[in-house]
Amino acid sequence: MQIRDLPYSDPGDPDVRSGPRFLFWLGRNQLAGQLKSLSWGLLHQLGIAGLPVTVGLAVQAVIDRSGGRLALAGGLILALGVMIAVGDTMLHRTAVTNWITAAARVQQLLARKTAELGAALTRRVAAGEVVAVSTGDVEKIGWFVEALSRFAAAATALVLICVGLVVYLPSLGVLVAIAMPVLALAVLPLLPRATRRADEQREKAGQATELASDTVAGLRVLRGIGGEELFLGRYRRASQEVRWAAVRSARMWALISAVQVLLPGILLISLVWYGATLARDGRVDVGQLVTVYSAATLMLFPLRHFEEIAMAYSFSRPSAQRAVRVLSLHRSSRDVTVEGVTPSGDLYDPATGLMAPQGQFTAVVCGDPDEAGWLAERLGGHAQSGEEDGADGKEGRPSAEVPSVLLGAVALDEIPLDAARAAVLVQDKDPVLLSGTLQELLDIPSSGLVTAEAALEAAQCGDVLSALAQASPDNEGDPMRTRITERGRSLSGGQRQRLALARSLVTDPEALVLDEPTSAVDSHTEARVAAGIAKLRRGRTTVAFASSPLLLDAADRVVLVHEGTVVAVGVHRELLRTEPRYRAVVTRETDEEAAASSALNGIGAVPAMKSIQEVEERA
């Protein structure tokens, strides 16, 4: 795989059982690149290892006054120099290729998982962690994959050099052969502590990144309440914790480096002392001593790769674990069994009993906002974190026991992802607007039956278009060519919400699920938006999670979900009169008021009349 061939046509199916298994999977999938790097690394290392032999030959030739052997030694040194230069150049080229392609593979896997999960991703994994994985962590993972082949080349070269020295000069070669494994493994007792400190540093860095992301996202609100200094102080403390954690980690790695300088120094001193004794007694030649000493000195270079691979692994292991935490999330625990199907019909959730008839506008009222978000995700065919690991507050709903949502007679999690996305679109309660022009925002895959103008009109975006037209004098006042800033930060919350609604309406899916689509607009605008949705989506399945009487009154039918089960179905005004639990949610009736109403006349008819009249007047 070459850099010019990126991106991968298929990044593969990763092993997400653990971080180390994921790293092994990456290395195995780049076996060809690893072997190339290993080959060039061996050429480079063995070229360096050959220098002491030729230098020893040259020294001995000078002592023996042999011009022929001196010329031969010079020629060998020149050849070894070319070998070292070529090996080092190609090693660097292949190693960097391995690094970049491994990082690119991880980024593709993350992008694919993000597209698969959609808005559900940030509900299961913190946004700061996703950012950390997709930026810094992919580089650390790529570093380990790249360093692995260089380490293998260095280890192989060390073994070959030790064997060669033992054969060449046993009296000194045995000393070097015994000392090298000790030098290589001497830092192992220090690695667990260094790894823990590195993990602590990255954990604190991830928390600081998440805090910064949250602060930037809520900057407008913070300015409104004067909270910038409070959050700035929090970030200062978080960044200082990261700094101190980094210092503690650096101290540990400095100690490891010091050990790898001290012990080789002791070896060289011992080698010179013992070799000089042997040379004085005439048991070895001066050239042989120079050869062994030079070889031992140059062996310290590949020995440094042991420190690097330990550092790369300690940094990449938690990074790989974070990547696995994201990549192990699934849209569904079931296999795709239905191909080439475009489902249609009633949208039905067997887990709660919620039915959204085909072609009707159904409003769903939940007393718990978290339950509404959970149910909206289910209707879109997204697997819930609570179904997979019980982490979403939905214990007792294991994946094997929760049936899939049905669209017509087809289970959403048994059809390909593209077909499910085209059939059911879920708009999150906090939608994100990508940067670009308004025309680009609305230029998305759709049925083609709903124009951008019709969608903007239904979402009551007239004031938004006027504001964008005034903000784009260079575009002759054309709001469709006006650039929207990142996440729509230049717009108010209500304007962002209505533009996101228009984007959802343009797609014109078979079933559209809206989670609190009018929570950020005023009552007057909300009534017109509700009417616009009902008009534009007439004959199409629409589900809106809301508790606003204005939107509920525009729906064809209203469903009340209480504690995960449908308990009432009807129209808004009827449910206000007959269902106390519905009335309590819609009118914001307190428990004390509901109890007083029930105590007076069973279902609270007399006290409730005032609330009903107030709600109907608002509607």
Side-chain angles (χ1 to χ4, degrees):
M1 186 69 181
Q2 299 296 323
I3 296 177
R4 64 174 176 269
D5 298 324
L6 294 174
Y8 291 95
S9 57
D10 180 11
D13 186 17
D15 187 344
V16 293
R17 288 176 289 177
S18 66
R21 287 178 182 271
F22 178 64
L23 291 174
F24 176 74
W25 177 85
L26 280 175
R28 189 182 65 205
N29 276 269
Q30 294 189 207
L31 187 59
Q34 295 287 349
L35 292 176
K36 286 181 182 178
S37 186
L38 174 61
S39 301
W40 291 117
L42 282 175
L43 181 67
H44 174 62
Q45 297 286 355
L46 294 178
I48 294 176
L51 286 176
V53 177
T54 56
V55 170
L57 290 175
V59 171
Q60 193 64 43
V62 171
I63 294 175
D64 296 341
R65 298 180 180 276
S66 173
R69 282 188 292 160
L70 181 62
L72 176 62
L76 291 175
I77 291 176
L78 179 61
L80 289 174
V82 174
M83 183 189 302
I84 292 171
V86 173
D88 192 25
T89 301
M90 296 306 298
L91 172 63
H92 179 74
R93 179 185 179 89
T94 54
V96 171
T97 299
N98 288 337
W99 186 337
I100 293 176
T101 51
R105 186 188 295 273
V106 178
Q107 286 180 326
Q108 275 191 255
L109 291 170
L110 291 170
R112 186 175 68 181
K113 184 60 63 175
T114 302
E116 176 186 338
L117 296 175
L121 175 63
T122 53
R123 293 183 180 175
R124 307 188 203 180
V125 182
E129 185 168 355
V130 176
V131 173
V133 171
S134 59
T135 54
D137 284 337
V138 295
E139 293 189 4
K140 294 180 178 67
I141 293 171
W143 175 28
F144 174 76
V145 173
E146 173 264 335
L148 191 60
S149 56
R150 290 190 290 109
F151 163 74
T156 303
L158 282 176
V159 172
L160 294 177
I161 293 172
C162 287
V163 172
L165 288 178
V166 170
V167 174
Y168 176 71
L169 190 62
S171 55
L172 291 178
V174 172
L175 175 63
V176 176
I178 294 175
M180 280 302 159
V182 176
L183 296 182
L185 303 177
V187 298
L188 285 182
L190 301 176
L191 288 180
R193 180 175 296 181
T195 301
R196 285 196 299 272
R197 292 189 179 185
D199 291 348
E200 179 185 355
Q201 174 197 349
R202 271 178 294 283
E203 181 181 356
K204 291 185 178 297
Q207 293 172 353
T209 301
E210 183 177 350
L211 178 60
S213 177
D214 291 343
T215 302
V216 172
L219 190 59
R220 177 175 295 190
V221 177
L222 290 176
R223 286 175 175 171
I225 62 176
E228 301 107 305
E229 290 300 324
L230 174 63
F231 274 78
L232 182 60
R234 290 182 182 177
Y235 185 73
R236 282 199 185 103
R237 289 192 294 272
S239 62
Q240 288 301 311
E241 290 178 1
V242 174
R243 185 174 70 87
W244 280 112
V247 169
R248 294 181 71 244
S249 178
R251 285 173 179 168
M252 205 65 222
W253 289 111
L255 177 59
I256 291 175
S257 297
V259 169
Q260 289 205 325
V261 170
L262 175 64
L263 294 183
I266 295 175
L267 170 64
L268 292 178
I269 292 173
S270 302
L271 185 64
V272 169
W273 176 79
Y274 183 57
T277 301
L278 295 179
R280 183 188 61 190
D281 296 341
R283 297 166 59 184
V284 298
D285 295 333
V286 174
Q288 291 176 320
L289 175 61
V290 171
T291 298
V292 175
Y293 175 79
S294 301
T297 303
L298 292 177
M299 286 173 71
L300 301 183
F301 172 71
L303 195 63
R304 300 293 294 183
H305 288 282
F306 284 79
E307 176 190 354
E308 182 189 13
I309 196 64
M311 182 180 294
Y313 180 73
S314 68
F315 275 79
S316 64
R317 185 183 59 80
S319 296
Q321 194 60 47
R322 276 199 296 268
V324 162
R325 204 155 44 232
V326 176
L327 296 175
S328 61
L329 299 175
H330 294 289
R331 166 182 169 241
S332 170
S333 60
R334 301 171 177 86
D335 296 327
V336 174
T337 59
V338 181
E339 297 286 351
V341 173
T342 304
S344 63
D346 298 337
L347 186 63
Y348 175 63
D349 177 25
T352 60
L354 173 61
M355 168 72 78
Q358 183 179 17
Q360 293 191 22
F361 182 8
T362 302
V364 182
V365 176
C366 298
D368 183 0
D370 292 335
E371 186 176 44
W374 173 83
L375 186 52
E377 285 188 26
R378 270 193 56 79
L379 292 180
H382 299 279
Q384 307 302 313
S385 56
E387 294 173 12
E388 294 176 356
D389 52 25
D392 199 34
K394 299 293 177 185
E395 295 84 352
R397 293 180 180 268
S399 175
E401 298 179 5
V402 178
S404 171
V405 171
L406 303 177
L407 183 59
V410 179
L412 286 181
D413 59 2
E414 294 179 358
I415 62 176
L417 181 61
D418 292 343
R421 289 287 185 271
V424 182
L425 174 67
V426 179
Q427 177 177 301
D428 191 69
K429 68 173 60 178
D430 186 22
V432 175
L433 300 182
L434 302 178
S435 60
T437 64
L438 181 56
Q439 183 176 2
E440 293 171 341
L441 177 71
L442 301 178
D443 184 16
I444 54 178
S446 65
S447 67
L449 301 177
V450 177
T451 64
E453 292 75 13
L456 291 168
E457 182 181 356
Q460 301 300 311
C461 295
D463 62 319
V464 184
L465 296 177
S466 299
L468 292 176
Q470 294 176 3
S472 59
D474 297 337
N475 295 326
E476 299 179 355
D478 183 1
M480 300 300 291
R481 297 167 59 189
T482 302
R483 189 166 187 81
I484 298 173
T485 57
E486 180 188 2
R487 299 178 68 92
R489 300 192 192 283
S490 59
L491 304 172
S492 68
Q495 290 174 330
R496 286 198 301 270
Q497 191 175 58
R498 281 176 284 156
L499 282 181
L501 175 60
R503 178 179 59 187
S504 298
L505 293 174
V506 164
T507 61
D508 190 35
E510 178 68 25
L512 176 61
V513 180
L514 305 171
D515 190 3
E516 296 288 352
T518 58
S519 59
V521 300
D522 59 81
S523 299
H524 180 65
T525 304
E526 184 178 26
R528 292 187 295 160
V529 170
I533 294 175
K535 179 181 178 182
L536 188 65
R537 293 286 300 174
R538 184 173 292 117
R540 307 288 274 171
T541 306
T542 307
V543 181
F545 288 84
S547 59
S548 167
L550 296 169
L551 193 146
L552 297 173
D553 198 46
D556 298 322
R557 64 199 302 268
V558 180
V559 178
L560 174 63
V561 178
H562 181 67
E563 295 183 352
T565 305
V566 172
V567 295
V569 179
V571 295
H572 169 59
R573 296 172 189 264
E574 174 189 347
L575 291 176
L576 272 179
R577 294 184 175 91
T578 60
E579 179 53 60
R581 287 170 295 189
Y582 179 83
R583 183 168 57 249
V585 175
V586 174
T587 64
R588 277 65 168 178
E589 189 177 54
T590 64
D591 293 339
E592 292 78 5
E593 291 172 341
S597 299
S598 299
L600 283 175
N601 58 0
I603 61 170
V606 174
M609 286 303 297
K610 181 179 179 181
S611 297
I612 294 172
Q613 292 169 357
E614 290 176 349
V615 172
E616 290 181 347
E617 288 174 0
R618 288 180 61 195

